């Protein structure tokens, strides 16, 4: 409800956008639980390290990947693969 009323996404599109984030968070959580069982380290410190790497290096890699894929999609004119366009 923070988007302007005339620009709001339909509930289906909102669900698709937020579900991707939730799936990513679940994956990271279970990866951290699995990795903490493999080491003698404190699980909280491993989670902090993983979070910091994800929030810095991970974001840079995602940004570069999205820019590269977007350029290829524009160059090949693949309309159905544009980010944020769900038809």
């Amino acid at each position: 409800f923070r988007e302007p009323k005339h620009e709001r996404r339909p509930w289906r599109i909102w669900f698709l956008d937020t579900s991707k984030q939730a799936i990513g968070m679940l994956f990271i959580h279970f990866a951290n639980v699995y990795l903490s069982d493999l080491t003698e380290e404190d699980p909280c410190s491993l989670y902090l390290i993983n979070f910091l790497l994800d929030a810095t290096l991970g974001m840079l890699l995602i940004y570069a990947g999205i820019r590269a894929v977007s350029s290829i999609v524009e160059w090949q004119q693949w309309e159905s693969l544009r980010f944020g366009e769900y038809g």
Side-chain angles (χ1 to χ4, degrees), residues 34-47:
Y34 176 74
L35 289 174
S36 69
D37 283 343
L38 295 178
T39 65
E40 300 287 324
E41 299 292 323
D42 176 29
C44 293
S45 63
L46 288 176
Y47 183 78

Side-chain angles (χ1 to χ4, degrees), residues 18-59:
T18 56
S19 65
K20 288 183 277 188
Q21 294 173 354
I23 290 168
M25 286 186 283
L26 279 173
F27 177 77
I28 290 296
H29 173 72
F30 287 115
N32 280 321
V33 170
Y34 176 74
L35 289 174
S36 69
D37 283 343
L38 295 178
T39 65
E40 300 287 324
E41 299 292 323
D42 176 29
C44 293
S45 63
L46 288 176
Y47 183 78
L48 179 64
I49 292 168
N50 194 348
F51 176 77
L52 291 174
L53 284 174
D54 186 40
T56 56
L57 183 61
M59 289 302 294

